[in-house]
Amino acid sequence: MADPMIAARVDAAVAAWLEWLPRWTPGSFRSRARICRRCYQSPILASAGLSHDVPHQVQHALVVRLQKIIDKTVDEFTTASLPGLRLELDAADALKQKAGYRPNDGLDPEYDGLELDPEPEPGQPFLFTLEGLASPLDKQINDPRPPLTDDQKAELRSEMALADECAVVTGQRVCGAVKIHAPRIRLAVETFVEPQIQSMLDELTNSLEFPS
Ligand SMILES: [Zn+2]
């Protein structure tokens, strides 16, 4: 199920991550009280060979870059093939614009989704929910359009299922494409991340052995 367009996008995302990685320092790593919804048990991380013993921000920066490929592909599919869902999403976006600036919009991949994530949901939720579309974001912004009829709701539900299916298939293709890069990714972690962690551990050991 290889897809040349997905493979090219994954190549570019991995290249951007490899370019960013040398700038990572342990000081830029913030610990989290909560599990990260994007990284926890992510099949992307497993495919990239980054699921164990790697600082969260290093993982997160890759996951977000690759997740954006899935989002973009689903968005393109929606525009091309799912007119009802496209209308709903555009309307939700317009309401969001009215609601003004959001601090979690437009962040760099290394910070995107950190701290602001809701708790992970059990099971495999739909990408979009009817409730989310019907009452987007700020309650004080009213949707001026008439409510959907039952037929429109049913049509929208089936379009959402297709969008969800597209996300699953694209996710599998992204995982397949990133596997090819796993050795380079591992080597980059060994080169730029592990020595910094080792020197932190050495400092800690020294300070324990020779208390001032
Ligand atoms: Zn994360």
Side-chain angles (χ1 to χ4, degrees):
M1 273 205 314
D3 178 321
M5 190 185 70
I6 299 287
R9 286 176 179 179
V10 168
D11 288 355
V14 170
W17 180 83
L18 287 169
E19 205 182 298
W20 165 80
L21 194 65
R23 297 199 299 276
W24 178 84
T25 60
S28 62
F29 170 64
R30 285 180 291 171
S31 63
R32 293 174 59 88
R34 291 187 299 175
I35 285 169
C36 177
R37 186 174 57 133
R38 301 196 198 192
C39 297
Y40 181 63
Q41 293 189 337
S42 164
I44 290 175
L45 283 176
S47 299
L50 272 194
S51 46
H52 303 291
D53 300 333
V54 179
H56 172 242
Q57 202 182 23
V58 171
Q59 297 178 326
H60 192 87
L62 185 65
V63 166
V64 169
R65 284 187 165 94
L66 294 171
Q67 184 65 48
K68 280 179 194 290
I69 297 171
I70 302 174
D71 295 345
K72 185 177 162 71
T73 307
V74 173
D75 196 61
E76 288 167 352
F77 173 65
T78 302
T79 300
S81 310
L82 307 174
L85 182 56
R86 181 77 276 158
L87 274 177
E88 286 301 315
L89 291 176
D90 288 349
D93 270 354
L95 290 179
K96 195 174 155 185
Q97 290 292 324
K98 272 194 205 169
Y101 171 74
R102 293 181 176 280
N104 52 347
D105 281 355
L107 293 173
D108 287 336
E110 297 82 49
Y111 300 102
D112 194 358
L114 288 180
E115 314 294 341
L116 298 164
D117 278 344
E119 292 297 325
E121 288 171 42
Q124 290 279 3
F126 273 112
L127 280 183
F128 314 104
T129 63
L130 278 178
E131 193 182 42
L133 291 171
S135 56
L137 307 166
D138 290 350
K139 294 215 161 50
Q140 70 268 26
I141 306 284
N142 292 318
D143 191 339
R145 299 169 308 153
L148 295 173
T149 65
D150 285 350
D151 282 352
Q152 285 171 322
K153 280 183 189 169
E155 176 60 25
L156 194 54
R157 230 175 252 126
S158 75
E159 288 195 8
M160 288 192 312
L162 289 171
D164 214 49
E165 204 177 292
C166 173
V168 170
V169 171
T170 307
Q172 288 164 350
R173 288 177 178 166
V174 165
C175 285
V178 82
K179 265 184 196 157
I180 299 159
H181 299 286
R184 289 168 71 207
I185 289 170
R186 193 68 240 171
L187 182 66
V189 167
E190 282 167 15
T191 308
F192 298 111
V193 176
E194 286 175 3
Q196 295 197 61
I197 291 173
Q198 191 54 50
S199 82
M200 272 176 75
L201 290 174
D202 291 347
E203 263 175 48
L204 187 66
T205 310
N206 287 339
S207 70
L208 290 175
E209 282 173 359
F210 307 106
S212 54

